[in-house]
Amino acid sequence: MDEIAPEVDSAYEAALDHAYDAVFERQHALREKSGVAHALDIYAQEGIAGLRKNPRLLRGVTAYRTLLEMCQELRYEDPKRMVDAGFLAVYTVDGLSPRRFGAERIADMRCRALIELSNAYRVADRLDDAERSLADAEKAFQAGTRDELLEARLSDVRASLLADRRRFKSAGEALDKVYAI
């Protein structure tokens, strides 16, 4: 090749930039997940006091999202750790700045974290704690944007909790709401 056309050279450079960005983003996500896993270990051993010694481990929206993902991943293998991940998701979102993210968005994120914490409590057979977390999630939902998908998740977890409490009629009504959304 004697000479590359400028548009081909430009497309090649853009593809390389995109590939490098994807690699760096993936590395950042892996580091973040590793930090969150480390935070879970510290919390399990030392409680919140241990996390206060390492505040950088649970900072920002990425840590919050990672904790929510971990709640899903841990559901069948480790309910105790699932509860810890849900609790730490709430703890993390409570540390976010409403001025930076907006009060409604923070309320939505808090609602989602409380929903997942409630579900974790349900899976761990701590039904009273699950009900309290779900009530807190409802309050956060009312303070947020009242997003329909968030409401569907809230109703879905409510239905599961009601079914575990053997209140099948109410569980069915909650599922009807999910279906309607």
Side-chain angles (χ1 to χ4, degrees):
M1 291 180 25
D2 294 332
E3 191 173 307
I4 298 175
E7 59 275 359
V8 172
D9 188 47
S10 178
Y12 179 76
E13 290 295 324
L16 281 177
D17 288 344
H18 182 72
Y20 286 128
D21 288 345
V23 167
F24 290 129
E25 190 174 304
R26 179 74 178 138
Q27 284 179 328
H28 175 72
L30 288 172
R31 271 194 309 273
E32 191 70 37
K33 190 165 189 166
S34 173
V36 168
H38 183 58
L40 272 170
D41 291 339
I42 290 172
Y43 178 70
Q45 294 170 6
E46 302 176 40
I48 290 294
L51 290 175
R52 289 191 178 123
K53 296 176 198 171
N54 300 288
R56 290 183 168 193
L57 291 175
L58 293 178
R59 238 183 23 195
V61 175
T62 304
Y64 159 79
R65 287 184 182 142
T66 302
L67 285 161
L68 292 180
E69 287 174 20
M70 291 177 103
C71 273
Q72 298 294 318
E73 293 169 4
L74 294 167
R75 179 179 179 163
Y76 297 108
E77 62 189 66
D78 193 345
K80 163 77 171 94
R81 200 161 164 92
M82 181 185 180
V83 168
D84 289 349
F87 176 81
L88 291 179
V90 174
Y91 177 82
T92 300
V93 80
D94 285 346
L96 297 176
S97 167
R99 188 178 327 148
R100 180 175 178 199
F101 295 101
E104 284 185 334
R105 184 171 175 214
I106 294 286
D108 283 353
M109 289 190 289
R110 187 168 204 283
C111 177
R112 178 63 194 270
L114 285 163
I115 291 168
E116 298 310 322
L117 176 58
S118 175
N119 193 46
Y121 281 139
R122 184 188 66 78
V123 169
D125 203 30
R126 294 173 55 183
L127 301 184
D128 292 338
D129 291 329
E131 281 192 26
R132 279 189 289 279
S133 292
L134 207 57
D136 290 343
E138 179 65 39
K139 290 175 192 169
F141 177 78
Q142 295 301 324
T145 63
R146 298 182 185 187
D147 178 77
E148 277 190 336
L149 293 177
L150 190 58
E151 184 177 17
R153 180 67 179 145
L154 183 63
S155 294
D156 180 43
V157 171
R158 182 180 296 117
S160 296
L161 179 59
L162 289 167
D164 285 354
R165 290 281 190 180
R166 317 300 284 170
R167 297 189 337 226
F168 298 116
K169 185 176 188 300
S170 297
E173 291 168 0
L175 285 176
D176 287 343
K177 189 173 198 174
V178 173
Y179 179 75
I181 292 170

